[in-house]
Amino acid sequence: MTIHTATTATPDKDWWRGAVIYQIYPRSFQDSNGDGIGDLKGITARLQHVAALGADAIWISPFFPSPMKDFGYDVSNYTEVDPMFGTLSDFDGLIHEAHRLGLKVMIDLVMSHSSDQHAWFIESRSSRVNPKADWYVWSDAKPDGTPPNNWMSIFGGSAWHWDPTRMQYYMHNFLTSQPDLNLHNPEVQDALLDMTRFWLKRGVDGFRLDTINFYFHDRDLRDNPALEPSRRNASTAPAVNPYNFQEHIYDKNRPENIDFLKRFRALLDEFPAIAAVGEVGDSQRGLEIVGEYTSGGDKMHMCYAFEFLAPDALTPSRVSEVQTAFSAAASEGWACWAFSNHDVVRHASRWGMEVLDRDAYVRMLAAILMTQRGSICIYQGEELGLTEADIAYADLQDPYGIQFWPEFKGRDGCRTPMVWDAQALQAGFSTAEKTWLPIPVEHQLKAVSAQYGDPESVLEQYRRFLAFRKQHPALARGDMVFLPAEAPLLQYERRNGNEIVLCMFNMSPEAMVVEPPAGDWEALGGHGFESSVEDNRINLPAWGAFFARRA
């Protein structure tokens, strides 16, 4: 008798490189218990949709216990599940089902700040001498009682809030109920790493790190300098927010972060095939910071900045400028690109408000996103071509929108519930009479059931193109070379080994005829675009695309 030893396939440590990550906002994906709010069991029940789409992984926004002042980004317990979303057992079931379907699971870690209801902060604010007194950023007032410096909260007003018990100010980069942790304290770092280990042992495959460049502050609490008006932009905060008036060199983006990220990466490397993506929010140095955090192979696997999440229109020159700037700033790094997420206006509206054939436009945008050099994130509902919902002031939930209404309406418009069934109550999201945010009629008409199987739909185009992307590794992991072209034509090559794929896009509502670059090219099919070739000239329809492989 011959006994064979069972072998287990070695995990692909580079699975994240070129991966397609589907972002799930748990409050709005699927409600399983009829309370009008999405939950973990609901996510588990809908994972087949994500797998069938062709994604490689899911990223789940926070589901930890929270007072929900910032809808989960104010964590009061890092190692539990908020009862609103379910239980740890429900999370284990989600992991099991995702892995059965071949999906990796990434969860959101919020380590720059906690909720003011976290036990750590409750103890820290109780006195100046307790064991956790230095776990948050505290400072005495100036002699006149004003805050210690000019730092501002991204949600409006000063970044300092007075605490009458300690007779000191504490720092909050976001809401006053989100005090900043003091990562200069090694005990805080150790506690955050212990929390990370807890979820790694639970079976997660990676993390998305919220506000990764906010982890450290200047120990001397120096004032931020004013920013010249000509250098201001609205990429990370709305134009009406005076946060944009400062150059944020002391309240965030501090060099001490590098050593902590190395500690974090060393922990991840104790486990097989784990990956992490960091959110870098800075309007002036975003890509430069991405380069710092992703270089050397000993910090973050990948990061994303806000270049493609900003209001700036997407044009051929914009795509080229961003990728060229990233290559210059992060020659060793790897990006993760997204056009939409839970914090910005959906790109179908942000860029396509005046476009008549919006479905054709978003199909083209999807192909551009999926052929960028880097990994990509798809935000739930994007695959349906959903637009930004118009939420009445009375229905607003987001404190950011309430603060700056009406010039900035907040983030609720991109967070409305996912639409599954065009004929069902609440579009199949919930059986509740009222959902936590209203579901627009125009969204229900674009539900999964209305698009499934329709070859002309945005949903089926996403599926087709993701399958096409998997067939051509150059599109996922290859280098990117831009080719000369006049707007509205965007063209570049993706190169991986012997495979060179030509990508051409007509970023306009008018058809155009163009000549291919020099060389022998074989037109590729299976991507869902209907461009044709006649006499060595390519007919590109409005918002069309063409793909070929060097023969």
Side-chain angles (χ1 to χ4, degrees):
M1 180 176 67
T2 303
I3 299 176
H4 298 280
T5 303
T7 58
T8 303
T10 302
D12 179 10
K13 290 186 176 182
D14 276 346
W15 67 264
W16 52 272
R17 193 179 293 273
V20 177
I21 304 166
Y22 186 96
Q23 183 193 354
I24 293 174
Y25 194 69
R27 294 180 70 92
S28 294
F29 200 60
Q30 178 65 52
D31 171 19
S32 72
N33 62 2
D35 65 356
I37 299 171
D39 46 52
L40 295 182
K41 283 186 176 179
I43 293 173
T44 303
R46 295 293 190 182
L47 285 177
Q48 180 61 47
H49 168 79
V50 182
L53 191 65
D56 301 298
I58 58 172
W59 146 30
I60 311 175
S61 291
F63 50 82
F64 316 108
S66 166
M68 298 294 165
K69 298 289 182 62
D70 192 23
F71 298 99
Y73 286 90
D74 48 331
V75 179
S76 58
N77 185 335
Y78 284 106
T79 55
E80 260 295 349
V81 172
D82 194 293
M84 175 188 299
F85 298 125
T87 66
L88 280 172
S89 178
D90 294 338
F91 181 77
D92 293 340
L94 188 158
I95 289 272
H96 177 79
E97 176 65 3
H99 288 170
R100 186 187 72 81
L101 293 170
L103 293 168
K104 304 286 188 182
V105 178
M106 307 178 79
I107 65 172
D108 221 321
L109 293 187
V110 187
M111 298 195 291
S112 70
H113 55 270
S114 76
S115 164
D116 62 358
Q117 300 303 306
H118 198 294
W120 296 346
F121 188 71
I122 292 171
E123 181 175 356
S124 184
R125 78 187 314 178
S126 67
S127 72
R128 297 193 185 193
V129 295
N130 68 79
K132 291 185 172 56
D134 191 40
W135 278 43
Y136 291 82
V137 184
W138 294 94
S139 176
D140 292 330
K142 288 181 178 179
D144 63 359
T146 56
N149 59 29
N150 71 346
W151 297 351
M152 304 191 75
S153 163
I154 200 167
F155 282 173
S158 171
W160 297 96
H161 188 73
W162 180 253
D163 183 78
T165 300
R166 283 186 54 145
M167 292 289 287
Q168 285 183 307
Y169 284 98
Y170 66 82
M171 179 185 173
H172 61 94
N173 269 302
F174 299 92
L175 296 174
T176 58
S177 57
Q178 293 171 294
D180 272 53
L181 285 155
N182 179 20
L183 271 78
H184 288 291
N185 185 333
E187 292 181 358
V188 174
Q189 293 190 27
D190 292 345
L192 293 172
L193 294 177
D194 287 345
M195 172 270 293
T196 304
R197 186 182 296 276
F198 171 87
W199 292 107
L200 287 168
K201 287 183 175 180
R202 204 127 206 140
V204 303
D205 302 290
F207 303 98
R208 179 262 189 185
L209 302 190
D210 185 62
T211 59
I212 190 174
N213 56 315
F214 286 71
Y215 287 175
F216 285 82
H217 65 285
D218 176 49
R219 283 182 182 273
D220 296 327
L221 305 183
R222 287 172 283 184
D223 281 348
N224 283 327
L227 185 67
E228 290 290 334
S230 62
R231 297 180 59 208
R232 297 173 190 168
N233 65 69
S235 63
T236 59
V240 295
N241 191 341
Y243 186 84
N244 294 322
F245 294 7
Q246 292 184 359
E247 186 157 18
H248 295 274
I249 60 177
Y250 294 123
D251 54 346
K252 61 181 182 180
N253 306 332
R254 302 303 298 160
E256 296 93 332
N257 204 21
I258 297 296
D259 286 339
F260 174 70
L261 294 182
K262 289 180 178 179
R263 290 193 68 195
F264 183 81
R265 177 60 178 269
L267 169 58
L268 300 193
D269 288 346
E270 294 177 18
F271 295 77
I274 303 297
V277 54
E279 175 198 35
V280 174
D282 190 79
S283 296
Q284 281 69 49
R285 295 184 54 237
L287 291 179
E288 180 184 341
I289 295 167
V290 168
E292 294 172 359
Y293 291 178
T294 57
S295 65
D298 59 352
K299 296 176 284 295
M300 298 304 294
H301 298 81
M302 49 187 167
C303 282
Y304 73 86
F306 281 72
E307 274 65 23
F308 287 145
L309 294 167
D312 310 68
L314 196 74
T315 61
S317 61
R318 177 68 175 165
V319 176
S320 175
E321 288 166 3
V322 169
Q323 285 286 4
T324 301
F326 176 81
S327 297
S331 58
E332 301 177 27
W334 190 258
C336 186
W337 303 109
F339 287 171
S340 287
N341 69 15
H342 65 291
D343 278 335
V344 300
V345 173
R346 287 185 177 274
H347 66 264
S349 295
R350 192 171 78 244
W351 296 331
M353 188 63 72
E354 305 300 325
V355 175
L356 295 179
D357 190 351
R358 196 176 297 182
D359 281 358
Y361 179 64
V362 297
R363 285 195 291 265
M364 178 206 66
L365 291 178
I368 292 175
L369 174 63
M370 295 176 202
T371 55
Q372 294 303 292
R373 182 178 185 271
S375 303
I376 64 168
C377 282
I378 295 172
Y379 179 49
Q380 64 180 56
E382 171 185 334
E383 75 275 22
L384 305 177
L386 296 188
T387 53
E388 185 81 353
D390 187 12
I391 306 296
Y393 183 80
D395 292 323
L396 279 190
Q397 302 288 330
D398 182 16
Y400 204 3
I402 293 170
Q403 171 76 14
F404 288 104
W405 179 278
E407 286 77 12
F408 173 65
K409 296 184 178 182
R411 302 164 295 178
D412 289 331
C414 66
R415 296 177 174 182
T416 54
M418 182 70 173
V419 285
W420 301 102
D421 188 339
Q423 304 300 319
L425 174 71
Q426 309 294 12
F429 164 73
S430 174
T431 58
E433 290 186 10
K434 184 177 181 179
T435 55
W436 81 281
L437 280 173
I439 299 173
V441 173
E442 62 270 22
H443 282 197
Q444 185 147 353
L445 297 175
K446 287 181 171 291
V448 172
S449 68
Q451 299 194 39
Y452 185 83
D454 177 1
E456 301 301 316
S457 69
V458 174
L459 173 60
E460 293 300 338
Q461 176 59 17
Y462 264 74
R463 286 180 175 163
R464 263 193 307 268
F465 204 88
L466 284 171
F468 175 72
R469 189 175 186 271
K470 288 182 185 296
Q471 294 168 5
H472 300 282
L475 296 180
R477 300 192 178 192
D479 293 331
M480 190 173 194
V481 178
F482 284 89
L483 304 175
E486 291 187 11
L489 178 65
L490 169 66
Q491 60 178 356
Y492 46 81
E493 294 175 354
R494 299 297 310 280
R495 301 175 177 181
N496 184 58
N498 294 325
E499 183 182 44
I500 300 178
V501 176
L502 171 66
C503 307
M504 305 178 74
F505 302 93
N506 174 11
M507 299 184 71
S508 82
E510 304 293 335
M512 63 190 307
V513 179
V514 296
E515 293 186 2
D520 295 327
W521 297 96
E522 173 192 355
L524 295 172
H527 44 69
F529 291 93
E530 297 181 352
S531 301
S532 61
V533 180
E534 297 179 16
D535 299 326
N536 201 39
R537 294 168 68 83
I538 302 165
N539 297 307
L540 278 171
W543 312 121
F546 174 81
F547 302 90
R549 178 170 51 198
R550 189 175 291 279

